[in-house]
Amino acid sequence: MNALVHLTVLLNETVAAVLGKPDGVYVDATFGRGGHTRHLLAQLGPNARVIGFDKDPQAIASGEALMREDSRFEIIHDSFASLLPALEARGLLGQVDGLLADLGVSSPQIDDAERGFSFMNDGPLDMRMDTTRGLSAAQWLVQISEAELTDVFKTYGEERHARRIARAVLAEQAVTPITRTKVLADVIAKAHPSWERHKHPATRCFQAIRIAVNRELGDLEDLLAQSLHALNAGGRLAVISFHSLEDRLVKQFIVREAKGDDFPPGLPVTIAQMNPQLKKIGKAVEPSAEEVNANPRARSAHLRVAERLASVRK
């Protein structure tokens, strides 16, 4: 397989989950290389509209090429946290029939050493999904405190030895600024007291720094909240997550919005008074054994789907 080819995860399942009106409005919040979008467009009518978001300039280049091929599609170079302003500017607020998101880092980003996401190949310590703005991971490390770095490793990486590793990283940083992925990976590996079998000791910490640098969980929370105002009644939300932090946010959001407003225990209320915003659609979908065999990076994927109800929150 070409190192920079991206295999779209849960392609058929995700598109089928959001597909509704043939000439409806759809949003691919994580365009990437356009796998989900192209499959969606192939099943839509001539008057459909699909809007893609992505932070990555390379993904935007792919999206611009698709725009030249298909007038039904538009790409936006921004975080999906900007969903509502973008829809409002286009007169599409509350008119989206399907919203999908494929979270996390893509294969081309991981496999390109120059992007700095991977500890397996040496490269500049960048990790930004959008290389045109914001602090690189190397710049971020310069201005972080030990307490803050410990919290990032513990919260975003679920790393048990967060304090010890943070102290080692910043001790190295104080001597010579860490600007390469291999240097950082080696420092973490040396400081880590208990290596997990079949897992590089830097895995959790690299994930944590990437999440922090790109504000991934904050953006996801924004997207989920905005989806309630973006979708029309009957519109579908479909989110693919790859680690427990993302999946927990998506699951809790759907459960909370499907339940509706909280009332004191024992108070007699109707479903209408509870004002639920979403309906959960099925259980979490996981890749088939065949897909995992063809694309091992799909093994941890979970797809959760919900449908927007007709009630409107004030």
Side-chain angles (χ1 to χ4, degrees):
M1 182 178 70
N2 186 305
L4 300 184
V5 168
H6 179 66
L7 296 179
T8 306
V9 175
L10 291 167
L11 175 62
N12 295 319
E13 296 88 341
T14 305
V15 171
V18 299
L19 190 61
K21 300 175 184 175
D23 290 314
V25 177
Y26 296 87
V27 173
D28 184 345
T30 51
F31 177 77
R33 294 303 183 267
H36 287 113
T37 289
R38 290 178 185 275
H39 191 50
L40 182 60
L41 284 167
Q43 300 176 67
L44 293 176
N47 297 316
R49 189 164 181 183
V50 180
I51 300 172
F53 287 80
D54 213 292
K55 295 179 179 180
D56 192 322
Q58 295 177 7
I60 295 303
S62 295
E64 289 172 345
L66 180 55
M67 283 178 64
R68 292 189 289 271
E69 298 171 14
D70 196 323
S71 61
R72 298 173 297 169
F73 175 69
E74 178 185 3
I75 189 71
I76 298 174
H77 186 190
D78 207 345
S79 165
F80 51 54
S82 299
L83 174 65
L84 287 191
L87 291 177
E88 190 167 23
R90 290 159 177 79
L92 296 173
L93 203 58
Q95 297 183 39
V96 175
D97 297 291
L99 168 59
L100 66 90
D102 181 0
L103 304 175
V105 64
S106 69
S107 293
Q109 290 169 331
I110 294 173
D111 293 333
D112 184 354
E114 292 303 305
R115 299 300 300 273
F117 286 102
S118 176
F119 44 78
M120 301 303 292
N121 299 298
D122 187 38
L125 187 60
D126 195 315
M127 295 198 196
R128 288 174 298 167
M129 292 182 178
D130 186 347
T131 54
T132 68
R133 66 189 83 174
L135 297 176
S136 68
Q139 293 167 326
W140 180 83
L141 276 179
V142 169
Q143 47 88 57
I144 203 81
S145 70
E146 182 180 314
E148 290 170 325
L149 187 57
T150 298
D151 186 58
V152 165
F153 286 163
K154 185 181 298 184
T155 304
Y156 296 157
E158 299 178 300
E159 174 55 67
R160 290 181 299 160
H161 306 287
R163 185 174 302 279
R164 174 174 178 158
I165 296 170
R167 186 176 296 124
V169 168
L170 294 186
E172 177 70 22
Q173 176 80 2
V175 176
T176 306
I178 301 173
T179 61
R180 307 290 297 182
T181 56
K182 187 176 187 305
V183 172
L184 178 59
D186 288 347
V187 170
I188 294 171
K190 185 176 180 181
H192 206 298
S194 57
W195 293 21
E196 298 176 59
R197 190 178 183 186
H198 304 311
K199 179 177 283 190
H200 193 287
T203 301
R204 295 179 183 274
C205 292
F206 265 63
Q207 171 187 291
I209 294 173
R210 190 202 81 218
I211 289 173
V213 165
N214 293 288
R215 197 184 174 272
E216 290 179 39
L217 296 184
D219 279 6
L220 174 56
E221 289 177 328
D222 289 345
L223 175 68
L224 294 173
Q226 291 177 40
S227 70
L228 297 177
H229 304 280
L231 292 165
N232 62 24
R236 292 284 186 90
L237 170 69
V239 183
I240 304 170
S241 59
F242 288 86
H243 61 71
S244 60
L245 297 175
E246 296 169 336
D247 188 52
R248 192 178 306 137
L249 281 177
V250 177
K251 179 180 179 180
Q252 290 175 348
F253 170 77
I254 292 175
V255 169
R256 182 174 65 250
E257 297 301 335
K259 177 183 177 185
D261 297 328
D262 284 328
F263 290 90
L267 186 69
V269 294
T270 66
I271 291 294
Q273 288 172 318
M274 293 175 67
N275 193 31
Q277 303 295 300
L278 295 174
K279 178 175 70 174
K280 177 185 173 185
I281 304 297
K283 298 181 179 179
V285 178
E286 299 179 358
S288 65
E290 291 78 13
E291 179 170 4
V292 173
N293 286 335
N295 179 17
R297 286 176 179 167
R299 65 185 178 276
S300 58
H302 290 79
L303 168 65
R304 296 188 184 273
V305 182
E307 184 175 298
R308 184 73 168 95
L309 298 176
S311 57
V312 178
R313 173 164 290 164
K314 303 296 185 184

